[in-house]
Amino acid sequence: MQATGRSWRMMGADGAFTLLLSGLVILLTGGLSWLLVTARVTQVALRTSNLIAPVDWIMVLGRHLLGSAVTLDYAARLNRAAAVAAAVPQAKILVLGGDTSEGPFTEAEQGRRYLIQRGISAERIHTEDRSRHTLENLQQALTVLGDQPGRLLLITSRFHLARSKTMAAGLGISVQPCAAESEFHWSPGSVARLSMEGLYLHWYWVGRLWSMLTRNHKSLARIR
């Protein structure tokens, strides 16, 4: 999330404070706390499988569109969902993601169209189009899934798996993570993504711990 005016409004005062606090912790530890979290992000990215197992729901986390176009990262997630859906015909699909680009379509709607074009029945596809980031993706998923959703498969990009899994657990959602890509490919771009995900996950953990220590129930309610 870039620190634009819109981004600051989305995170709110508590989010902005914990972001600054997270940065302070990184400085005070000489970067060690961030490196440890980034190592965990990398471990999950490398080791998570994409083996198909019986599930009741296939959840696909959204990804920013390029105008109205599905990006390569998002296409990888959707292609994995299509493969799982073909192998597990009883599973329903939930595509998540709201209006986060300059185009007229939400991530969820474009994801739904993409899956239909690849032969997935429209009746199997459910969408949630109000969320703007990963935490909201998962929070809004609960409104669709209900109290007893059954077995959940969470599909997202390898670099994004650790944070998504952690946030889902924080909300009490039990998921089986599934990597969109067949394997992780090292490149300067992938290293940058892992590093950024380390920063995001570090921020999440610092915010969660701070909220627990200060008994800030309002902040805890946003991440639980």
Side-chain angles (χ1 to χ4, degrees), residues 23-223:
L24 179 61
V25 171
I26 292 173
L27 287 175
L28 292 176
T29 61
L32 181 60
S33 60
W34 166 63
L35 287 174
L36 290 173
V37 175
T38 302
R40 175 57 180 167
V41 170
T42 303
Q43 181 185 52
V44 173
L46 292 173
R47 295 185 178 180
T48 302
S49 74
N50 44 37
L51 297 177
I52 296 172
V55 292
D56 300 295
W57 280 93
I58 302 165
M59 294 170 51
V60 187
L61 292 186
R63 182 73 171 149
H64 282 248
L65 302 174
L66 186 60
S68 296
V70 169
T71 63
L72 292 177
D73 281 341
Y74 195 14
R77 300 178 190 185
L78 294 165
N79 288 335
R80 181 64 58 189
V84 176
V88 189
Q90 77 277 9
K92 294 174 284 189
I93 305 169
L94 175 57
V95 187
L96 303 158
D99 179 12
T100 59
S101 70
E102 299 299 324
F105 302 107
T106 65
E107 296 169 13
E109 178 58 26
Q110 288 300 77
R112 178 179 180 275
R113 295 184 181 192
Y114 187 98
L115 289 172
I116 291 173
Q117 290 172 358
R118 276 146 189 82
I120 305 301
S121 171
E123 287 72 26
R124 297 179 64 186
I125 306 171
H126 301 252
T127 59
E128 179 289 306
D129 59 4
R130 293 186 294 172
S131 55
R132 299 162 294 178
H133 49 73
T134 301
L135 185 57
E136 285 189 357
N137 278 176
L138 296 167
Q139 289 170 329
Q140 292 299 329
L142 291 172
T143 66
V144 180
L145 297 172
D147 296 331
Q148 296 181 323
R151 298 162 297 182
L152 305 178
L153 188 73
L154 180 66
I155 298 177
T156 191
S157 306
R158 286 185 176 274
F159 67 86
H160 191 230
L161 281 164
R163 179 160 59 105
S164 304
K165 182 180 177 181
T166 300
M167 288 182 167
L171 293 169
I173 307 174
S174 178
V175 299
Q176 175 185 335
C178 178
E181 307 89 351
S182 298
E183 59 185 18
F184 187 82
H185 296 286
W186 289 102
S187 69
S190 65
V191 171
R193 285 178 167 180
L194 292 173
S195 301
M196 185 59 68
E197 281 295 314
L199 289 173
Y200 283 139
L201 187 53
H202 188 280
W203 175 19
Y204 173 85
W205 277 118
V206 168
R208 185 182 178 91
L209 180 59
W210 177 257
S211 298
M212 292 173 65
L213 290 174
T214 60
R215 297 182 180 180
N216 188 330
H217 299 293
K218 179 182 176 182
S219 291
L220 281 174
R222 295 182 61 190
I223 59 178

